Amino acid sequence: MNQKYEINIDIPAHSAPPDIFHESGNEKPSKDFVVSRNQDGTIASVYGDYIWDLSAYHPEKVPSKLNFKLWNNESETNVHENLIEESRQILFSLMWIRNGPSLSIGTLRNYLTVVKDACNYCDKNNLTIHELFESEKILWNFVNSQESGWHIQTLGSMLQQLKNNKFGFIIVGQSMLQAIKARGLQYRATLNQHSPIPTRIYSEIISQLFSFINEWEPVSDEILHITKLCKDNPLEGRNPTNQFSIARKLNIPYKKCKTFPELLPSKCLDYFNQRNLSLNVKTLSNLIAEVQLALKLTIQTFSGMRDDEVFSLPYNCIKIFSLDGIEHYSIVGRTTKFNNGRKKSAKWITNVDGYRALKAAKKIAEAIYSTFNIHKESLNSESEYYPLFVPVGYLGLAGPTRHPENNCFVPSNIDLSRMHKLRKIVEPIILETDILELEQIDPHRAWRSEAKFQPGNTWSFTSHQLRRSLALYAQRSGLVSLPSLRRQLQHITNEMSLYYAKGSVYAKDFIGKDKDHFGTLWQKSKLESEGLSYILNVVFSDDILFGGHALWMKNKIIDGDGNISFDREKTLQQFKRGEIAYQETLIGGCTNTAPCTQSALKWINTECLENGCKYLVCHVSKLDKVIAAQTKLVANIDESLLEYRTESSDLAILVNARERALKINSKG
């Protein structure tokens, strides 16, 4: 029976598909079987190639290749060729023969990574991949040789997909596949969750990013103009000796041009000198990449986006809209996390700080694209994809000029490890108070046993910490006590409370059914943030507390000797189940899980104090500040006005409540 198999991977609409495989037995496809075609329908790759070019099938036409080569030509043997052929058979089976949902190019790359590991293992142990996959003992030895839990999980997933292959691969039984899956899950379970950044360090990182952008913006236009000059003219900005050599190498007329210092206006020269930067075009290229990375981190700080989500943003990703006369900003891009790597539209809310970083990134992108004669009209096109973070390699200032393939630009993937100066501003020195704060957030994790969390060391920064920290701290729970961080997060906290909160009419538009959207993490972290704030600000508060809930808590957890009997995990579970809540107020907090029924017409709700609300937790120290502010307000109102009598009455309620609290406290 002659059966036909079409390729089973994601192919964008209007792309030219590869050949259909006609099965008549178990033979493999011929070497000239077309595995991919270019946009214009011409052949991109055939089965016998060492590299399968799938770029035309990428959602954004980003260059995407499956490279089967493992050894250089000199060391290649017949054994190596056979292993490469087995690798082709596996990938072909996954792409054509396999049943089930279509795979993404990213997933295929992951599978090929594991296949290459298998090839190396087979080469060292004189095996074929066929022999490796059919023997439980040999396969388990291979699993034990893997240091990466991700590799083990990916191996298990791939073998499950290959069970119905047509190339004679006998796959081990289901019990072994389950054992491999369990090993991968066991490894992942040992991974510590990304730690939140301690509030002092978090605030310092934000301040340093703001300073970086503040210094860049006044000189950005001039520096980007100079960048374009140096890209358009290979002699511009180079020293005289290099100018002559470049002209001769490129066989162009030599005409003396300005050196790099001569191109810089005084304020730009000051900028370079203050940052101790060398005055040459290579440093210029590195600087622009560093600025792009600082802007990317700022966007993540005020959006919670992942690395791949930010780097894949299109140039025209900013959407400005108005609500009740106030401007709001959303970021429109795509996410790949739980969509098998396939293109999927997504959007995130940000604030004015994120918007500012996005605008600065757009300005850099415009400068780079302009050197290819691509301007705003084209960049704003909905039909073409131009990455916002386009690599500086396209400028060719620090090496060979990179050229777009098939008129497609690849998004940048700037690595922080190469940016030593930028790393310093996101990796402050850890203090003892920072570790104490982490121990309060998670007392079960042995923070001090981990070398990277030792006081005196630099903070080990990862961009994912920004996501975790924003979700935890950008809440109205009162967990953040540091004034500087409260100011920095105030606006984005308001935005996320408006657009991501459960029950918000806007949440569905942003989050939808995406369980991995940042908004979902923010919702989950809200309960954790409230629970932690409750523990810190209520259970273990050193302040004088009073109010309905404060009295209830005191009677429940404090024994006759004044000792606290408290189950932390049980309390956090109560918050997660919605049995208790905690929201910060001007005078303390509210534990009501339902919307408050008290009037919200005044800046301070005295009804809770006057009526003895059972959900009230009032801090005397906060009440003192409110009394001081209210006293000042009353003093500035004409005594003949109704407003005076109203505000004076409120002041009396505040003062009386304070006196009652102190009286109760004095009695123990």
Side-chain angles (χ1 to χ4, degrees), residues 96 211 356 581:
W96 267 268
S211 296
R356 177 189 181 193

Side-chain angles (χ1 to χ4, degrees), residues 485-500:
L485 186 58
R486 289 172 72 98
R487 288 193 299 271
Q488 290 163 336
L489 296 183
Q490 181 179 2
H491 188 200
I492 192 63
T493 299
N494 292 339
E495 293 297 285
M496 291 186 170
S497 299
L498 177 62
Y499 290 101
Y500 290 162

